[in-house]
Amino acid sequence: MNEKLKQLESDFKLALVAVENSVELKELESEYLGKQWKLKAILAWVKDLSIDDKKTVWVAANALKNEFSELLSQKSQSLEDAYFKDIEEKEALDVSIGFASQKLWHKHPISHATELLEDIFISLGFKIEDGPQIEDERHNFDMLNIPDNHPARDVWDTFWISDTINKHKKSWEKYLLRTHTSPVQVRTMISQELPIKIIVPGRVFRYEQEDARHTSNFYQLEWLVVGEWVTFWDLKWTLDTVMKQLLWEKTELRFRPSIFPFTEPSAEVDVSCQICSGTGIRDAKKCSMCSGTGWVELLGAWMVHPTVFEGCGIDPMKYSGFAFGMWIDRIAAQRFWVSSSRMFYQNKLKLNEQF
Ligand code: PHE
């Protein structure tokens, strides 16, 4: 009997080695372990044996059955491994071959300037805030002390969201593309505890005639400081510190009185143009960056208007603050000597590849 089992085992092993794929494996499995399995045929005459012999044969046969199952599953695993290895080899992609060694991307000069500014402000303890680019009229104008029909609204030529959306809204709820980052001042003063020390870098939109310094989409950086005893001196110190770190030592600053409904008093600050070194002339022509004036307007600023504070629930008798709105595009143009900030939006590889 044992002889028969031994023979069966060696037949099985030989057949197993010859198996080349999963179909053949299935066939072998049913041949040896299926309904008509060979082992069963051998065991058919076991009934004639003595009880003791029956036991030994059954035990040996069962062991053999387990062994077959085990070997079959090992074979199945190795067929599968071979199958995937084959796919891996056939479909392998060597991404390192011919990989261009040069830098494939460039940081946009505006992102570069924004990051420089953020680093300086973070080192001075400012937090970075963000706000929606689709703003409502209340935050963009009303709460900044620019009520409906106020002539100052004309200064911010506005892109309004389509009439289909706006026509059912009350005037202060109408949507627009924010014309400046100042609405985030309001949002922050309403929602945060005092003191506040934030900057807001972000994209703004104006319906502008495009020229070397004006584009209908550009970037601003708002700064806002609110607390007790915040004075003009703090403003001047912050501005000096930031400008010295950002631009060259020789840079000169010029304060001009101005009007912004949300600051009182108000000023615009210019820097001496880096492109023409403040002379107004470049390559024997009028410098396009500063229109030949030698100065570039960089920001609007000054002390936060008491009416804005009141609208945000801050007591103007107790608290004071200053705010700035800075043109990042112009900073980038000055910092990186680009003669027209419009070029930042023209996908000029010659320019972008320098960064
Ligand atoms: N928001 C103003 C503008 O876009 C700039 C500004 C900001 C002025 C903060 C004063 C204070 O023109």
PDB file of all heavy atoms in Angstrom, residues 156 180 182 185 206 220 222 260 262-263 300-301 323-325 327, ligand 1:
ATOM      1  N   TRP A 156     -11.523 103.186  -7.371  1.00  0.00           N
ATOM      2  CA  TRP A 156     -11.341 101.738  -7.505  1.00  0.00           C
ATOM      3  C   TRP A 156     -12.271 101.225  -8.602  1.00  0.00           C
ATOM      4  O   TRP A 156     -13.401 100.812  -8.338  1.00  0.00           O
ATOM      5  CB  TRP A 156     -11.666 101.064  -6.169  1.00  0.00           C
ATOM      6  CG  TRP A 156     -10.616 101.294  -5.139  1.00  0.00           C
ATOM      7  CD1 TRP A 156      -9.471 100.596  -4.980  1.00  0.00           C
ATOM      8  CD2 TRP A 156     -10.615 102.303  -4.126  1.00  0.00           C
ATOM      9  NE1 TRP A 156      -8.742 101.114  -3.943  1.00  0.00           N
ATOM     10  CE2 TRP A 156      -9.413 102.154  -3.391  1.00  0.00           C
ATOM     11  CE3 TRP A 156     -11.495 103.332  -3.763  1.00  0.00           C
ATOM     12  CZ2 TRP A 156      -9.076 102.984  -2.321  1.00  0.00           C
ATOM     13  CZ3 TRP A 156     -11.163 104.151  -2.710  1.00  0.00           C
ATOM     14  CH2 TRP A 156      -9.966 103.979  -2.005  1.00  0.00           C
ATOM     15  N   HIS A 180      -9.087  95.753  -3.653  1.00  0.00           N
ATOM     16  CA  HIS A 180      -7.897  95.897  -2.806  1.00  0.00           C
ATOM     17  C   HIS A 180      -7.938  94.846  -1.691  1.00  0.00           C
ATOM     18  O   HIS A 180      -8.949  94.161  -1.527  1.00  0.00           O
ATOM     19  CB  HIS A 180      -7.761  97.315  -2.234  1.00  0.00           C
ATOM     20  CG  HIS A 180      -9.011  97.870  -1.597  1.00  0.00           C
ATOM     21  ND1 HIS A 180      -9.053  99.107  -1.003  1.00  0.00           N
ATOM     22  CD2 HIS A 180     -10.259  97.363  -1.441  1.00  0.00           C
ATOM     23  CE1 HIS A 180     -10.263  99.342  -0.522  1.00  0.00           C
ATOM     24  NE2 HIS A 180     -10.999  98.299  -0.777  1.00  0.00           N
ATOM     25  N   SER A 182      -7.752  95.630   1.406  1.00  0.00           N
ATOM     26  CA  SER A 182      -8.240  96.271   2.637  1.00  0.00           C
ATOM     27  C   SER A 182      -9.472  95.608   3.266  1.00  0.00           C
ATOM     28  O   SER A 182      -9.625  95.658   4.492  1.00  0.00           O
ATOM     29  CB  SER A 182      -8.502  97.760   2.390  1.00  0.00           C
ATOM     30  OG  SER A 182      -7.308  98.391   1.987  1.00  0.00           O
ATOM     31  N   GLN A 185      -8.781  93.743   6.316  1.00  0.00           N
ATOM     32  CA  GLN A 185      -8.634  94.523   7.567  1.00  0.00           C
ATOM     33  C   GLN A 185      -9.919  94.390   8.375  1.00  0.00           C
ATOM     34  O   GLN A 185      -9.904  94.063   9.558  1.00  0.00           O
ATOM     35  CB  GLN A 185      -8.513  96.010   7.252  1.00  0.00           C
ATOM     36  CG  GLN A 185      -7.179  96.516   6.800  1.00  0.00           C
ATOM     37  CD  GLN A 185      -7.234  98.059   6.745  1.00  0.00           C
ATOM     38  OE1 GLN A 185      -7.906  98.688   7.549  1.00  0.00           O
ATOM     39  NE2 GLN A 185      -6.508  98.627   5.803  1.00  0.00           N
ATOM     40  N   ARG A 206      -8.748  95.326 -10.915  1.00  0.00           N
ATOM     41  CA  ARG A 206      -9.302  96.644 -11.235  1.00  0.00           C
ATOM     42  C   ARG A 206      -9.479  96.792 -12.727  1.00  0.00           C
ATOM     43  O   ARG A 206      -8.651  96.315 -13.499  1.00  0.00           O
ATOM     44  CB  ARG A 206      -8.393  97.755 -10.719  1.00  0.00           C
ATOM     45  CG  ARG A 206      -8.525  97.893  -9.241  1.00  0.00           C
ATOM     46  CD  ARG A 206      -7.905  99.133  -8.716  1.00  0.00           C
ATOM     47  NE  ARG A 206      -7.539  98.901  -7.330  1.00  0.00           N
ATOM     48  CZ  ARG A 206      -6.750  99.675  -6.636  1.00  0.00           C
ATOM     49  NH1 ARG A 206      -6.230 100.747  -7.199  1.00  0.00           N
ATOM     50  NH2 ARG A 206      -6.487  99.403  -5.380  1.00  0.00           N
ATOM     51  N   GLN A 220      -1.434  92.814  -4.043  1.00  0.00           N
ATOM     52  CA  GLN A 220      -1.190  93.801  -2.987  1.00  0.00           C
ATOM     53  C   GLN A 220      -0.761  93.100  -1.706  1.00  0.00           C
ATOM     54  O   GLN A 220      -1.014  91.912  -1.519  1.00  0.00           O
ATOM     55  CB  GLN A 220      -2.475  94.570  -2.679  1.00  0.00           C
ATOM     56  CG  GLN A 220      -2.791  95.665  -3.660  1.00  0.00           C
ATOM     57  CD  GLN A 220      -3.900  96.572  -3.151  1.00  0.00           C
ATOM     58  OE1 GLN A 220      -4.755  96.155  -2.369  1.00  0.00           O
ATOM     59  NE2 GLN A 220      -3.893  97.809  -3.598  1.00  0.00           N
ATOM     60  N   GLU A 222      -1.336  93.981   2.261  1.00  0.00           N
ATOM     61  CA  GLU A 222      -1.930  94.886   3.242  1.00  0.00           C
ATOM     62  C   GLU A 222      -1.234  94.650   4.562  1.00  0.00           C
ATOM     63  O   GLU A 222      -0.900  93.505   4.886  1.00  0.00           O
ATOM     64  CB  GLU A 222      -3.418  94.492   3.362  1.00  0.00           C
ATOM     65  CG  GLU A 222      -4.261  95.448   4.114  1.00  0.00           C
ATOM     66  CD  GLU A 222      -4.822  96.524   3.186  1.00  0.00           C
ATOM     67  OE1 GLU A 222      -4.691  96.395   1.955  1.00  0.00           O
ATOM     68  OE2 GLU A 222      -5.384  97.496   3.707  1.00  0.00           O
ATOM     69  N   PHE A 260      -7.454 108.608   1.650  1.00  0.00           N
ATOM     70  CA  PHE A 260      -8.119 107.307   1.619  1.00  0.00           C
ATOM     71  C   PHE A 260      -9.226 107.403   2.660  1.00  0.00           C
ATOM     72  O   PHE A 260      -8.955 107.819   3.790  1.00  0.00           O
ATOM     73  CB  PHE A 260      -7.160 106.169   1.997  1.00  0.00           C
ATOM     74  CG  PHE A 260      -6.066 105.940   0.994  1.00  0.00           C
ATOM     75  CD1 PHE A 260      -4.775 106.357   1.261  1.00  0.00           C
ATOM     76  CD2 PHE A 260      -6.330 105.322  -0.218  1.00  0.00           C
ATOM     77  CE1 PHE A 260      -3.762 106.161   0.337  1.00  0.00           C
ATOM     78  CE2 PHE A 260      -5.324 105.123  -1.152  1.00  0.00           C
ATOM     79  CZ  PHE A 260      -4.038 105.546  -0.874  1.00  0.00           C
ATOM     80  N   PHE A 262     -10.511 105.382   4.494  1.00  0.00           N
ATOM     81  CA  PHE A 262     -10.385 104.505   5.678  1.00  0.00           C
ATOM     82  C   PHE A 262      -9.147 104.790   6.507  1.00  0.00           C
ATOM     83  O   PHE A 262      -8.855 104.084   7.462  1.00  0.00           O
ATOM     84  CB  PHE A 262     -10.429 103.039   5.251  1.00  0.00           C
ATOM     85  CG  PHE A 262      -9.734 102.764   3.948  1.00  0.00           C
ATOM     86  CD1 PHE A 262      -8.420 102.383   3.925  1.00  0.00           C
ATOM     87  CD2 PHE A 262     -10.419 102.920   2.746  1.00  0.00           C
ATOM     88  CE1 PHE A 262      -7.776 102.139   2.714  1.00  0.00           C
ATOM     89  CE2 PHE A 262      -9.791 102.681   1.532  1.00  0.00           C
ATOM     90  CZ  PHE A 262      -8.467 102.297   1.506  1.00  0.00           C
ATOM     91  N   THR A 263      -8.362 105.819   6.124  1.00  0.00           N
ATOM     92  CA  THR A 263      -7.246 106.235   6.982  1.00  0.00           C
ATOM     93  C   THR A 263      -7.316 107.744   7.166  1.00  0.00           C
ATOM     94  O   THR A 263      -7.765 108.471   6.283  1.00  0.00           O
ATOM     95  CB  THR A 263      -5.879 105.857   6.364  1.00  0.00           C
ATOM     96  OG1 THR A 263      -5.860 106.251   5.001  1.00  0.00           O
ATOM     97  CG2 THR A 263      -5.583 104.381   6.489  1.00  0.00           C
ATOM     98  N   GLY A 300      -0.068 102.941  -0.131  1.00  0.00           N
ATOM     99  CA  GLY A 300      -0.919 103.936   0.504  1.00  0.00           C
ATOM    100  C   GLY A 300      -0.995 103.544   1.965  1.00  0.00           C
ATOM    101  O   GLY A 300      -0.912 102.360   2.292  1.00  0.00           O
ATOM    102  N   ALA A 301      -1.144 104.543   2.845  1.00  0.00           N
ATOM    103  CA  ALA A 301      -1.068 104.171   4.258  1.00  0.00           C
ATOM    104  C   ALA A 301      -1.594 105.247   5.196  1.00  0.00           C
ATOM    105  O   ALA A 301      -2.005 106.308   4.759  1.00  0.00           O
ATOM    106  CB  ALA A 301       0.391 103.916   4.619  1.00  0.00           C
ATOM    107  N   ALA A 323      -2.452 101.287   8.878  1.00  0.00           N
ATOM    108  CA  ALA A 323      -2.668 100.313   7.789  1.00  0.00           C
ATOM    109  C   ALA A 323      -1.904 100.765   6.558  1.00  0.00           C
ATOM    110  O   ALA A 323      -1.728 101.962   6.323  1.00  0.00           O
ATOM    111  CB  ALA A 323      -4.152 100.227   7.474  1.00  0.00           C
ATOM    112  N   PHE A 324      -1.452  99.772   5.810  1.00  0.00           N
ATOM    113  CA  PHE A 324      -0.740 100.026   4.562  1.00  0.00           C
ATOM    114  C   PHE A 324      -1.336  99.168   3.468  1.00  0.00           C
ATOM    115  O   PHE A 324      -1.793  98.061   3.728  1.00  0.00           O
ATOM    116  CB  PHE A 324       0.708  99.529   4.658  1.00  0.00           C
ATOM    117  CG  PHE A 324       1.644 100.397   5.402  1.00  0.00           C
ATOM    118  CD1 PHE A 324       1.656 100.398   6.778  1.00  0.00           C
ATOM    119  CD2 PHE A 324       2.551 101.173   4.707  1.00  0.00           C
ATOM    120  CE1 PHE A 324       2.552 101.177   7.470  1.00  0.00           C
ATOM    121  CE2 PHE A 324       3.450 101.958   5.397  1.00  0.00           C
ATOM    122  CZ  PHE A 324       3.453 101.974   6.794  1.00  0.00           C
ATOM    123  N   GLY A 325      -1.283  99.651   2.255  1.00  0.00           N
ATOM    124  CA  GLY A 325      -1.587  98.773   1.120  1.00  0.00           C
ATOM    125  C   GLY A 325      -0.453  98.940   0.136  1.00  0.00           C
ATOM    126  O   GLY A 325      -0.166 100.044  -0.322  1.00  0.00           O
ATOM    127  N   TRP A 327       1.890  97.678  -3.289  1.00  0.00           N
ATOM    128  CA  TRP A 327       1.784  97.047  -4.605  1.00  0.00           C
ATOM    129  C   TRP A 327       2.929  96.051  -4.780  1.00  0.00           C
ATOM    130  O   TRP A 327       4.062  96.458  -5.041  1.00  0.00           O
ATOM    131  CB  TRP A 327       1.825  98.096  -5.694  1.00  0.00           C
ATOM    132  CG  TRP A 327       0.506  98.764  -5.947  1.00  0.00           C
ATOM    133  CD1 TRP A 327      -0.260  98.591  -7.052  1.00  0.00           C
ATOM    134  CD2 TRP A 327      -0.201  99.674  -5.102  1.00  0.00           C
ATOM    135  NE1 TRP A 327      -1.414  99.336  -6.939  1.00  0.00           N
ATOM    136  CE2 TRP A 327      -1.412 100.008  -5.760  1.00  0.00           C
ATOM    137  CE3 TRP A 327       0.026 100.232  -3.835  1.00  0.00           C
ATOM    138  CZ2 TRP A 327      -2.347 100.868  -5.204  1.00  0.00           C
ATOM    139  CZ3 TRP A 327      -0.903 101.090  -3.294  1.00  0.00           C
ATOM    140  CH2 TRP A 327      -2.080 101.394  -3.971  1.00  0.00           C
TER     141      TRP A 327
HETATM  142  N1  PHE B   1      -6.449  99.905  -0.214  1.00  0.00           N
HETATM  143  C1  PHE B   1      -5.752 101.053  -0.739  1.00  0.00           C
HETATM  144  C2  PHE B   1      -5.671 100.930  -2.255  1.00  0.00           C
HETATM  145  O1  PHE B   1      -5.802  99.875  -2.776  1.00  0.00           O
HETATM  146  C3  PHE B   1      -4.368 101.184  -0.156  1.00  0.00           C
HETATM  147  C4  PHE B   1      -4.355 101.472   1.305  1.00  0.00           C
HETATM  148  C5  PHE B   1      -4.364 100.429   2.216  1.00  0.00           C
HETATM  149  C6  PHE B   1      -4.330 102.765   1.768  1.00  0.00           C
HETATM  150  C7  PHE B   1      -4.310 100.686   3.586  1.00  0.00           C
HETATM  151  C8  PHE B   1      -4.290 103.034   3.107  1.00  0.00           C
HETATM  152  C9  PHE B   1      -4.279 101.992   4.012  1.00  0.00           C
HETATM  153  O2  PHE B   1      -5.494 101.898  -2.944  1.00  0.00           O
END
